[in-house]
Amino acid sequence: MANESYSSLVSTHKTSDSGLQIHLHPLVLLTISDHITRHALRRREEPIVGALLGQHNGRDITLEHAFECQIIHGEQGAILLHQVWFQDRLQQYKDVHKEPALELVGWFTTAPTTGPELQHVPIHQQIIHDYNETAVLLAFHPISVLQGATQGGKLPLTIYESVYEGTPGAGKPPNNEADGDRSMDVDAPEGPLDLKFRELPYSVETGEAEMISVDFVARGGGNAANIDAPGKQKGKEKVSQESKSQQALNDSSYLSPEDDELITSLTARANAVKMLHTRIQLLKSYLSSLPPSYLSDTSLSHESTTEGTTPQSDQQPAIDHSILRSIQALVNRLPLLIPADGEAFQQESLAEKSDVSLVALLGDLTGGTKNLRDMGKKFAIVNSAKQRQRSGRSMGQMYGDTDDPFGEQIMHLDQPYE
């Protein structure tokens, strides 16, 4: 029954015909992930609800900022926004973000992959009635993260727009049940209109400031560690030898900033290589599942070739020429990365490497010469000081140790005459 309730809220039209283009910014994703993480760590049982701020220019909607919201329980346990609190907080964000001016464009919550739940309808109706009639819903799927369904690069979220559709079969006479025209169901005056959610395509856009913040978060997330602070000692109690050794071991296990940066860089490159390998395997599996090309298989009829179609079997997928053209364009760009003359490129790279090594050796030689010159200056200063000290001692021995007859006579003259 739960799955039926979920599917009943999703529109029967899989693709949206409204033409809305959603541009999602990474700051919204960081805010939502932070809110969900704190909500899980604090073990809160209340649902996760937040507002989305952005710009609405024609058919383009940007999701630039997000903040969590305070909720209340209305009649029959319906989840609603705290009206006074939400208006004050929304006005504060509008006062801060005036250039460019941001407005409420939607809200976010957690939902299963099958679609929104019935508990999401009251709060969505409150938003579209009081604030924005074209508000969108960003549904985050935690189950996709737990099951590892995000390894292919798809974000664990879905963006919906709200539409009103008529109930199938309502408002029609009984004798028209076999009529194949179902477009009159919505326009029938007797049929009630129900709130439905229709999935919207979206793209991720990143500004310069957001790239800096995302890079900082990625580096910090890779180097994050749980470090417990040492407890306070009572009085003059001494720490035991075992605790000292354990503390020294913990201190030695910490990495320096240079090591952290190196590990982060290597991790990013390893993830990039893994993603590239996954994408290449995906393209390889897709090409291997296609039927033989009519250019290489002579058994195919000439009529199918002239018509531009290839006969398909039940087990072989249909050919998507746009994907094949993209793959062919990618293959045509590969020679730009691979040099035509491998030996000449290897010799040139070896010559550049030798030049770089020579410059490095010259730099080391210049540094060594400078160090020798500084050492010579210091040695000359020390040697001159020793020479002055030795000359001073020799002059003292010359005048202080020899007999001075004149001095003796002067000493006798100073004595009184008897």
Side-chain angles (χ1 to χ4, degrees):
M1 297 297 295
N3 293 333
E4 294 178 357
S5 62
Y6 296 160
S7 60
S8 63
L9 294 178
V10 179
S11 174
T12 56
H13 302 280
K14 298 298 182 181
T15 59
S16 175
D17 55 357
S18 61
L20 290 177
Q21 298 293 331
I22 307 298
H23 305 284
L24 180 62
H25 287 253
L27 185 58
V28 176
L29 300 178
L30 294 178
T31 304
I32 295 176
S33 63
D34 177 72
H35 182 30
I36 294 177
T37 303
R38 289 186 289 106
H39 189 276
L41 292 177
R42 294 174 183 176
R43 299 179 180 178
R44 293 182 177 179
E45 298 181 356
E46 58 186 11
I48 297 176
V49 176
L52 299 175
L53 299 179
Q55 303 180 51
H56 193 172
N57 301 322
R59 312 307 298 173
D60 295 336
I61 300 178
T62 61
L63 308 181
E64 302 182 16
H65 292 274
F67 63 91
E68 55 184 295
C69 298
Q70 184 178 355
I71 59 175
I72 58 175
H73 294 277
E75 299 179 357
Q76 299 180 356
I79 301 175
L80 300 173
L81 294 174
H82 194 286
Q83 195 76 8
V84 178
W85 181 93
F86 183 75
Q87 290 179 357
D88 294 341
R89 181 58 60 89
L90 181 61
Q91 187 62 37
Q92 292 174 359
Y93 272 88
K94 288 183 178 180
D95 294 340
V96 172
H97 302 282
K98 290 185 177 181
E99 187 62 31
L102 301 182
E103 59 179 342
L104 180 67
V105 294
W107 64 291
F108 69 87
T109 185
T110 56
T113 56
T114 54
E117 298 175 328
L118 292 175
Q119 61 179 352
H120 299 146
V121 175
I123 187 172
H124 189 80
Q125 290 180 344
Q126 180 186 10
I127 292 177
I128 62 178
H129 289 164
D130 299 340
Y131 300 98
N132 189 353
E133 61 182 4
T134 60
V136 298
L137 169 61
L138 191 153
F140 188 85
H141 310 306
I143 190 65
S144 300
V145 180
L146 297 177
Q147 294 178 353
T150 60
Q151 296 180 358
K154 180 178 175 58
L155 295 176
L157 57 90
T158 307
I159 300 178
Y160 298 95
E161 66 172 342
S162 58
V163 294
Y164 285 94
E165 295 181 355
T167 305
K172 297 181 64 177
N175 56 356
N176 292 334
E177 292 181 356
D179 191 3
D181 188 6
R182 297 181 177 270
S183 61
M184 299 299 295
D185 295 343
V186 179
D187 300 333
E190 297 85 357
L193 298 179
D194 298 332
L195 180 66
K196 301 290 184 178
F197 293 94
R198 185 184 301 172
E199 184 176 351
L200 288 174
Y202 66 91
S203 60
V204 180
E205 290 188 357
T206 307
E208 295 181 358
E210 288 179 323
M211 291 185 65
I212 296 175
S213 62
V214 170
D215 181 72
F216 177 78
V217 171
R219 291 176 181 271
N223 302 329
N226 186 11
I227 301 176
D228 297 331
K232 297 183 179 179
Q233 300 179 1
K234 297 181 179 180
K236 297 182 179 179
E237 182 180 359
K238 296 182 180 180
V239 183
S240 61
Q241 187 66 24
E242 182 179 358
S243 61
K244 287 183 179 180
S245 60
Q246 184 66 25
Q247 184 177 1
L249 180 61
N250 295 334
D251 294 338
S252 62
S253 62
Y254 297 155
L255 297 177
S256 62
E258 292 79 8
D259 295 338
D260 288 340
E261 185 176 359
L262 177 61
I263 292 176
T264 303
S265 177
L266 294 178
T267 303
R269 294 183 181 181
N271 294 334
V273 172
K274 290 180 181 179
M275 182 175 293
L276 177 62
H277 179 71
T278 304
R279 299 294 175 85
I280 293 176
Q281 293 297 326
L282 179 62
L283 294 177
K284 184 179 178 181
S285 60
Y286 173 74
L287 293 177
S288 61
S289 62
L290 291 177
S293 174
Y294 54 84
L295 297 178
S296 58
D297 193 352
T298 58
S299 62
L300 300 177
S301 62
H302 180 70
E303 297 179 356
S304 62
T305 304
T306 55
E307 293 176 358
T309 59
T310 304
Q312 307 291 332
S313 62
D314 297 337
Q315 300 178 355
Q316 293 175 344
I319 295 180
D320 191 344
H321 293 280
S322 61
I323 297 178
L324 294 178
R325 284 192 294 267
S326 301
I327 297 175
Q328 184 63 34
L330 178 61
V331 173
N332 293 335
R333 288 196 298 267
L334 291 179
L336 300 177
L337 304 177
I338 302 175
D341 192 355
E343 296 182 359
F345 176 76
Q346 186 176 4
Q347 292 179 0
E348 185 178 357
S349 61
L350 182 60
E352 291 183 358
K353 182 178 180 181
S354 301
D355 294 340
V356 172
S357 301
L358 181 60
V359 171
L361 290 176
L362 289 176
D364 296 339
L365 182 60
T366 304
T369 305
K370 182 181 179 181
N371 294 333
L372 288 175
R373 184 179 180 183
D374 295 340
M375 186 180 65
K377 289 181 179 180
K378 295 178 181 179
F379 180 77
I381 294 173
V382 173
N383 192 21
S384 62
K386 289 183 178 180
Q387 292 293 338
R388 286 196 301 269
Q389 186 178 4
R390 290 177 182 177
S391 61
R393 289 180 181 179
S394 60
M395 293 295 294
Q397 292 177 358
M398 183 183 300
Y399 292 103
D401 296 341
T402 57
D403 296 334
D404 187 4
F406 297 100
E408 186 178 356
Q409 292 178 0
I410 293 173
M411 183 183 61
H412 290 301
L413 292 174
D414 292 337
Q415 295 178 358
Y417 180 75
E418 294 181 358

